[in-house]
Amino acid sequence: MHEQTPAAPADSPSTPPSGRGPTLFDWEFATDPYPAYAWLREHEPVHRTKLPSGVEAWLVTRYADARQALADQRLSKNPAHHAEPAHAKGKTGIPGERKAELMTHLLNIDPPDHTRLRRLVSKAFTPRRVAEFTPRVQELTDHLIDKIVEKAGGADRGEADLIHEFAFPLPIYAICEMLGVPREDQDDFRDWAGMMIRHGGGPRGGVARSVKQMRTYLGELIHRKRDDLGNDLISDLIRASDHGDHLTEAEATAMAFILLFAGFETTVNLIGNGVHSLFMNPGERERLQRSLAAGESGLLETAVEELLRYDGPVELATWRFATEPLTLGGQPVAAGDPVLVVLAAADRDPARFAEPDTLDLSRTDNQHLGYGHGIHYCLGAPLARLEGQTALATLLTRLPDLELAVPPTDLRWRGGLIMRGLRTLPVRFTPRNI
């Protein structure tokens, strides 16, 4: 799970109050935000702006400031610290989570509650469990590629939308299986998740309805599993205890929800953005394919980390709110002000990374912030790495001549605030029965 959530579509551009500098949050910015972030890093590294939702917030763009902010406990995750009127608070989280009573999860709480919940959840979400799940992730990956190849039939060339036919279903089915959602119910989760990932592109109120449906289902599933515990994450959440402490049913439901919700979209975008970056950097792609063909794993491991740094799935870390006056990057921040750490800008800071705008799959000095930093560091980083490495290695091995089926300028990026990802990724390939 990555402790991130979506925000409203970027439909109201913003410019610096001085009138200088780039326009933020329009569709051109969504396509390539990196020049704008470079300007902010140099001229206004801690920048106050009005977001598309109408909320005003500080954007932190330099690596050193970002790392400080991510670990600063004066910046609370609890929306109750927001200085805006109550109506604005609904614009800083997952649509519908308040009405669905899903606020008690790791994205919205601070120590000591965060410490207690994370300790309990960590007992269920262990590296050992992820390692045991490796063969199943490979099976799911191969199954989805089999379906893509079968769809091509006897044609010389096959076509697919790599987002909707591969990058999206893989993490949904994977996290459903880890949670213990029965297979006959997993397509419902795919539908609910599909509505959420559209970020306002579906029917009005669709995201909130999907959140409510998912919350209702998870509550019922947890209730059933209490009488029949299995070898899955939800059963482990129920079992989790620490010196007599335990997760309440409401806490377990909220945690199962955020594990699924925060876990799937980051991986969708990791795969989609990663393949896109390889298309745009054919020399690095060929280098990786040669390494995979030789049976090596080292370059694959550093490649996934570099793809996370270069064009990662999470553009901005989720909301933080100043609990007292403080200074960030020399800029005074008032109590109650929202602060958004721009991971995408920090991870291309030339003060921290050599040639930051160059994709170098063998980069080893790569302490990127794609998984966050501090006490909110991504709990599901091992699962994200597993899915990213498996997906990329299998695609490049089984469909070695995979190519973009449209001009790069035809691709459209989702208009959002927190996540960065493609709407579609049309590809062509030569079908192979491997």
Side-chain angles (χ1 to χ4, degrees), residues 153-230:
D156 292 335
R157 294 288 283 168
E159 294 187 352
D161 175 1
L162 210 61
I163 299 297
H164 293 280
E165 297 178 57
F166 182 73
F168 176 69
L170 175 59
I172 281 291
Y173 292 138
I175 195 65
C176 277
E177 293 211 8
M178 286 196 78
L179 285 169
V181 176
R183 293 191 183 182
E184 61 268 22
D185 296 338
Q186 291 179 8
D187 285 338
D188 288 336
F189 271 80
R190 180 173 177 169
D191 292 342
W192 297 330
M195 180 60 66
M196 294 176 188
I197 204 172
R198 291 157 89 171
H199 296 348
R204 186 176 180 85
V207 174
R209 282 195 298 273
S210 294
V211 169
K212 184 176 180 180
Q213 289 171 312
M214 191 177 287
R215 187 252 184 268
T216 299
Y217 176 87
L218 286 171
E220 293 171 350
L221 181 62
I222 288 171
H223 187 72
R224 293 200 307 269
K225 282 184 176 290
R226 285 191 183 278
D227 297 324
D228 185 21
L229 296 177

Side-chain angles (χ1 to χ4, degrees), residues 297-312:
S297 62
L299 187 60
L300 175 64
E301 293 172 1
T302 58
V304 168
E305 300 307 308
E306 174 69 349
L307 292 169
L308 279 160
R309 183 202 68 82
Y310 181 77
D311 196 13

Side-chain angles (χ1 to χ4, degrees), residues 1-2 125-134 136-138 140 170-179 233 259-260 262-264 266-268 270-271 304-305 308 371 377-391:
M1 179 198 69
H2 204 301
F125 210 88
T126 61
R128 177 182 176 183
R129 176 174 288 283
V130 172
E132 291 173 347
F133 198 56
T134 300
R136 184 56 184 151
V137 171
Q138 185 66 63
L140 289 168
L170 175 59
I172 281 291
Y173 292 138
I175 195 65
C176 277
E177 293 211 8
M178 286 196 78
L179 285 169
L233 271 177
L259 285 170
L260 189 150
F264 86 88
T266 50
T267 307
V268 174
L270 167 59
I271 297 169
V304 168
E305 300 307 308
L308 279 160
Y371 291 127
Y377 182 82
C378 174
L379 187 65
L383 179 60
R385 287 188 172 103
L386 167 63
E387 292 177 337
Q389 291 176 14
T390 304

Side-chain angles (χ1 to χ4, degrees), residues 73 76-78 81 104-106 108-120 242 245 247 251 375-376:
Q73 294 196 29
S76 169
K77 298 291 289 176
N78 189 339
H81 291 290
T104 311
H105 55 68
L106 295 177
N108 291 332
I109 57 175
D110 304 314
D113 289 335
H114 178 274
T115 307
R116 179 182 71 88
L117 287 182
R118 185 166 177 122
R119 183 172 60 240
L120 292 172
D242 186 51
D245 199 0
L247 293 170
E251 288 173 339
I375 64 171
H376 291 281

Side-chain angles (χ1 to χ4, degrees), residues 27 35 45 61 79 105 107 117 136 185 249 279-280 284 314 334 405:
W27 292 109
T61 57
H105 55 68
L107 290 177
L117 287 182
R136 184 56 184 151
D185 296 338
E249 193 157 298
F279 283 155
M280 298 299 101
E284 288 299 278
V314 183

